[in-house]
């Protein structure tokens, strides 16, 4: 089930700590090992080590190494709040200050914290995340699902934890996409797009996962495609609708359609 930020109980099976320091309203401790589980949701912490600083205004984890069921978080996590009561209203009351130099998220763990409406692969991520859960900013990100599919840039997410109702403003400074690898995440993706193979991409993604505008410059081995497209994906993904403008430059249609006799270089704007 979903992890309940307001009502959860962690059953601790192992914990080793040292370097306790108390100064006025702050506590410092070094967590050397820690294992725990929330049996109501099924979420588990398999191992955790970090330096911990706690006050009534925040919790900071430095030199963090955290392993869950299938995921890993490494670097720094800061949670800032006005009082401990805010933790009961985590989504809209706790400010996140996160820095990741090694983050691996598996969908089987994400399902505890976000409602996933489509199949997604495991994600590797580096970058900074700031803001509250329902209004997050991501900067200097490098997100990848494989060595051939990755995006670099910045993003704003408004509406989490329900991903289907989250507005996404993504600025792609540079990326590379293996079309076949994203076909499971974008239902009813035309076979012609899947067959494009490896694409280099720059541009913006603006909207929801089921209704978005993609303004992008795509380059493949067959040529260049500039898009300003709106994609709407209803509950029945086979009824997905594409609309907008498409510009094709020096596109090798003959090689793409495996018909070099009747189709050659293609230029199109419309």
């Amino acid at each position: 089930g979903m992890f309940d930020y307001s009502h959860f109980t962690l059953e601790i099976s192992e914990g080793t700590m040292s370097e306790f320091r108390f100064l006025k309203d702050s506590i410092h401790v070094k967590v050397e090992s820690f294992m725990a589980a929330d049996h109501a949701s099924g979420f588990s912490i398999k191992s955790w080590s970090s330096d911990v600083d706690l006050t009534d205004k925040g919790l900071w984890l430095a030199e963090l190494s955290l392993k869950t069921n299938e995921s890993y978080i490494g670097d720094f996590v800061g949670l800032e709040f006005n009082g401990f009561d805010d933790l009961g209203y985590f989504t809209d009351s706790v400010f996140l200050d996160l820095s990741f130099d090694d983050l691996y998220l598996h969908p089987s763990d994400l399902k505890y914290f976000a409602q996933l409406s489509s199949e997604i692969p495991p994600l590797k991520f580096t970058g900074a995340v700031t803001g509250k859960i329902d209004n997050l900013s991501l900067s200097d990100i490098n997100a990848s699902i494989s060595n051939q599919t990755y995006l670099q840039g910045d993003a704003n997410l408004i509406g989490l934890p329900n991903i289907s109702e989250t507005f996404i403003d993504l600025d792609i400074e540079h990326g590379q996409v293996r079309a076949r690898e994203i076909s499971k995440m974008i239902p009813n993706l035309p076979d012609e797009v899947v067959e494009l193979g490896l694409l280099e991409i720059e541009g913006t993604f603006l909207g929801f996962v089921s209704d978005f505008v993609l303004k992008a410059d795509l380059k493949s081995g067959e040529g260049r495609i500039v898009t300003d497209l709106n994609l709407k994906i209803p509950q029945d993904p086979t009824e997905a609708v594409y609309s907008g403008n498409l510009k094709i430059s020096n596109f090798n249609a003959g090689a793409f359609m495996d018909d070099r006799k009747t189709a050659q270089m293609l230029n199109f704007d419309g």
Side-chain angles (χ1 to χ4, degrees):
M2 290 281 290
F3 184 84
D4 188 342
Y5 295 100
S6 302
H7 306 91
F8 66 89
T9 301
L10 288 180
E11 182 177 311
I12 300 172
S13 57
E14 177 185 320
T16 304
M17 304 179 186
S18 63
E19 299 182 17
F20 285 92
R21 293 197 299 269
F22 300 88
L23 180 63
K24 293 184 179 179
D25 61 348
S26 68
I27 300 173
H28 171 86
V29 64
K30 184 178 184 64
V31 178
E32 298 179 0
S33 66
F34 184 88
M35 296 177 63
D38 173 44
H39 293 294
S41 64
F43 177 71
S44 298
I45 298 173
K46 299 299 185 182
S47 70
W48 166 32
S49 64
S50 71
D51 290 324
V52 180
D53 289 282
L54 175 66
T55 74
D56 61 351
K57 298 299 182 182
L59 170 67
W60 297 270
L61 310 178
E63 298 185 13
L64 173 66
S65 175
L66 176 68
K67 295 180 181 179
T68 61
N69 294 348
E70 299 289 344
S71 304
Y72 175 80
I73 300 174
D75 201 0
F76 176 82
V77 167
L79 309 178
E80 300 173 7
F81 38 79
N82 293 319
F84 292 117
D85 288 346
D86 282 355
L87 295 174
Y89 306 91
F90 194 98
T91 300
D92 57 7
S93 299
V94 177
F95 186 90
L96 307 182
D97 179 11
L98 315 176
S99 177
F100 301 119
D101 60 9
D102 188 5
L103 175 64
Y104 177 80
L105 292 178
H106 195 279
S108 63
D109 283 326
L110 283 176
K111 69 181 182 181
Y112 297 117
F113 303 98
Q115 297 177 17
L116 305 179
S117 58
S118 61
E119 183 177 349
I120 63 172
L123 174 72
K124 291 183 178 180
F125 179 93
T126 62
V129 180
T130 57
K132 297 176 181 178
I133 290 288
D134 58 2
N135 190 355
L136 289 176
S137 295
L138 291 71
S139 58
D140 297 323
I141 61 176
N142 188 330
S144 64
I145 60 173
S146 74
N147 292 333
Q148 293 188 321
T149 297
Y150 63 86
L151 297 176
Q152 299 170 344
D154 304 289
N156 292 298
L157 307 176
I158 302 173
L160 287 173
N162 190 339
I163 189 65
S164 64
E165 297 179 2
T166 297
F167 185 82
I168 303 170
D169 182 356
L170 172 62
D171 181 11
I172 306 169
E173 296 178 1
H174 177 69
Q176 187 172 276
V177 175
R178 174 67 68 180
R180 189 172 299 279
E181 291 181 344
I182 65 169
S183 60
K184 292 182 179 180
M185 293 184 288
I186 304 179
N188 208 30
L189 192 67
D191 291 339
E192 292 81 2
V193 175
V194 174
E195 294 303 323
L196 283 173
L198 192 63
L199 300 168
E200 291 188 23
I201 180 172
E202 296 178 4
T204 59
F205 176 108
L206 191 67
F208 303 89
V209 292
S210 61
D211 185 355
F212 60 87
V213 173
L214 178 65
K215 296 182 178 181
D217 188 342
L218 304 167
K219 298 176 183 178
S220 76
E222 310 303 344
R224 179 183 179 190
I225 302 174
V226 178
T227 72
D228 186 355
L229 296 175
N230 174 227
L231 171 61
K232 298 180 184 293
I233 305 174
Q235 288 187 342
D236 182 356
T238 62
E239 298 179 359
V241 177
Y242 299 81
S243 62
N245 296 314
L246 188 68
K247 182 178 181 180
I248 299 174
S249 302
N250 298 320
F251 190 78
N252 192 341
F256 178 59
M257 295 186 295
D258 196 22
D259 185 0
R260 297 179 185 273
K261 293 183 178 180
T262 59
Q264 299 181 13
M265 303 304 293
L266 174 65
N267 289 278
F268 174 81
D269 189 355

